[in-house]
Amino acid sequence: MLKQLKQKAIAEIKQAGDLNSLEKVFRQYLGRKGELTQVLRSLKDLSAKERATQGKLANQIKKEIENILEQKKYKIRDTKYELPKEWLDVTAPGVPMPQGHLHPITLVQRQVEEIFQSMGFTVANGPEVETDYYNFDALNVPKNHPARDLWDTFWLKDLDLLLRTHTSPVQARYMEKNNPPLRIIVPGRCYRHEATDASHDVIFHQVEGLMVGSDVSAANFKGVIEEFFKQFYHTDVKIRLRPSYFPFVEPGFEVDVKRKGKNWLEIMGAGMVHPNVFKTVGYKANNYQGFAFGIGLDRLAMIKYQIDDIRLLFTNDLRLLKQF
Ligand code: DAH
């Protein structure tokens, strides 16, 4: 009778096609009121001898059925397993996140800083909101002097302040606090109250340079600036100085640069620091001499990256910015 029970159970397990019918088979034989469970329960009514043989057999069959059930369960799971409608393929290549990068002006500023630092210059800074005094007076441009017209100035209403028109005021600020010998560059933002065009914007960037010592000469200036452009453009350059006027230098120059196969480009103003500037910051004028210069950072970037309109640099058009 036990053997028949076993055959029946095995046949039904074989027929079960899904987990539900398999569960039914389990209940049918091994559940609380299952056929085999009842047999096991009735063992206690048998004689000791019979109980021993029947008990052993019944338990063995129970184990066998459990095993077969278990295996069938895995088999159904393996074959019936369906991929969920949405699923994650952990081996698929990722979607790249858009990544920001430095603005071309920042790139150029860092290159400039690196080159001058390699020649012993320190990077100094000053405020963009400046006083009349540092922007003009200390640079040998007294009030009512016609040279003030060279810089169209944004004045801050009702305050005795302005937006600096150049980085030159940092020359005076730095010399007031430091004694020669000194070598600094001052990169920074400047402002001019004027109409914009392809080469002028209301906001732009300069790098001021200043080197002062007991015998710093115009020849030193030429050497330093030639070396700078050589490194900046990675090519041999020629430098040409033309006389020009800036109130804070004497003599003053306009500096032109020529790369191989290219035209002369006017690129910066420079000169030997005016004795009046030394006097204003408290240096004994006869003890020191030095050169100063101011380069347009935007212009350097435009030449380097062949951008023909300065205004493009700050319209933040991603089609342009993504090229750097
Ligand atoms: N500050 C001048 C400007 O904005 C540029 C300049 C010219 C700076 C001559 C200098 C210099 O230091 O020596 O037009």
Side-chain angles (χ1 to χ4, degrees):
M1 195 197 82
L2 268 173
K3 289 207 171 127
Q4 274 169 341
L5 200 72
K6 178 179 153 186
Q7 300 306 336
K8 219 164 60 135
I10 292 178
E12 279 175 41
I13 293 172
K14 252 189 196 154
Q15 267 189 0
D18 56 35
L19 293 177
N20 267 344
S21 21
L22 202 61
E23 176 71 21
K24 256 186 221 147
V25 180
F26 173 82
R27 260 183 274 129
Q28 171 77 22
Y29 295 94
L30 298 175
R32 216 155 44 85
K33 289 180 187 156
E35 289 178 39
L36 191 58
T37 313
Q38 271 165 11
V39 172
L40 285 163
R41 233 179 251 148
S42 65
L43 286 174
K44 63 178 187 314
D45 303 329
L46 298 178
S47 68
K49 198 176 155 215
E50 254 183 323
R51 199 187 311 150
T53 48
Q54 289 284 52
K56 197 175 163 202
L57 185 60
N59 272 313
Q60 197 186 322
I61 288 172
K62 186 184 174 203
K63 268 210 185 100
E64 248 174 281
I65 292 176
E66 276 173 349
N67 264 337
I68 296 170
L69 265 172
E70 177 113 331
Q71 270 165 27
K72 179 76 184 203
K73 191 160 90 187
Y74 288 136
K75 203 169 159 199
I76 290 175
R77 276 209 186 136
D78 281 352
T79 50
K80 289 283 153 124
Y81 184 72
E82 279 173 26
L83 293 177
K85 291 213 172 57
E86 264 184 83
W87 60 294
L88 182 68
D89 179 359
V90 293
T91 65
V95 180
M97 300 277 277
Q99 203 179 15
H101 58 79
L102 296 178
H103 189 277
I105 292 293
T106 312
L107 287 174
V108 169
Q109 180 178 326
R110 294 208 179 161
Q111 288 161 10
V112 171
E113 287 175 1
E114 214 168 280
I115 297 170
F116 277 107
Q117 278 170 335
S118 77
M119 292 191 278
F121 284 74
T122 305
V123 178
N125 284 295
E128 289 175 28
V129 172
E130 202 30 297
T131 60
D132 196 348
Y133 176 78
Y134 285 110
N135 199 78
F136 292 122
D137 299 70
L139 296 171
N140 197 32
V141 193
K143 295 199 171 50
N144 303 318
H145 191 285
R148 286 206 176 194
D149 296 343
L150 290 173
W151 294 277
D152 303 289
T153 308
F154 281 114
W155 295 92
L156 300 186
K157 226 175 162 188
D158 301 331
L159 297 169
D160 219 3
L161 296 169
L162 51 83
L163 297 182
R164 71 177 176 195
T165 59
H166 47 187
T167 43
S168 304
V170 187
Q171 285 188 30
R173 286 182 175 276
Y174 191 86
M175 285 192 283
E176 279 180 351
K177 297 216 170 90
N178 299 272
N179 284 319
L182 59 88
R183 285 180 229 190
I184 56 163
I185 57 162
V186 185
R189 205 175 283 168
C190 306
Y191 305 82
R192 301 252 175 113
H193 184 23
E194 60 185 4
T196 66
D197 60 31
S199 45
H200 297 88
D201 208 343
V202 176
I203 301 177
F204 61 101
H205 300 78
Q206 286 188 337
V207 183
E208 193 77 12
L210 177 69
M211 176 167 176
V212 181
S214 47
D215 55 1
V216 175
S217 68
N220 293 144
F221 168 68
K222 209 179 163 191
V224 165
I225 219 64
E226 199 171 300
E227 180 60 27
F228 165 73
F229 280 111
K230 239 190 233 173
Q231 290 194 36
F232 185 73
Y233 289 124
H234 304 294
T235 173
D236 265 350
V237 291
K238 282 186 185 146
I239 300 291
R240 184 168 74 181
L241 306 184
R242 286 178 292 115
S244 182
Y245 171 71
F246 299 97
F248 26 90
V249 284
E250 178 58 35
F253 327 117
E254 208 69 61
V255 182
D256 301 335
V257 180
K258 185 179 164 35
R259 290 171 289 167
K260 243 192 224 130
K262 307 261 170 154
N263 291 331
W264 285 101
L265 280 176
E266 186 181 315
I267 205 126
M268 63 197 282
M272 300 305 292
V273 179
H274 198 290
N276 285 350
V277 176
F278 284 148
K279 231 182 281 169
T280 309
V281 298
Y283 289 179
K284 280 201 181 128
N286 293 333
N287 291 358
Y288 300 117
Q289 52 187 33
F291 62 75
F293 60 85
I295 313 180
L297 203 56
D298 315 83
R299 197 158 152 68
L300 281 186
M302 289 165 72
I303 295 167
K304 184 149 192 161
Y305 300 125
Q306 297 172 342
I307 297 169
D308 55 12
D309 191 324
I310 189 172
R311 293 167 294 189
L312 285 173
L313 285 170
F314 292 98
T315 39
N316 287 335
D317 186 333
L318 288 178
R319 287 170 301 176
L320 177 98
L321 294 179
K322 278 188 171 160
Q323 296 176 46
F324 294 92

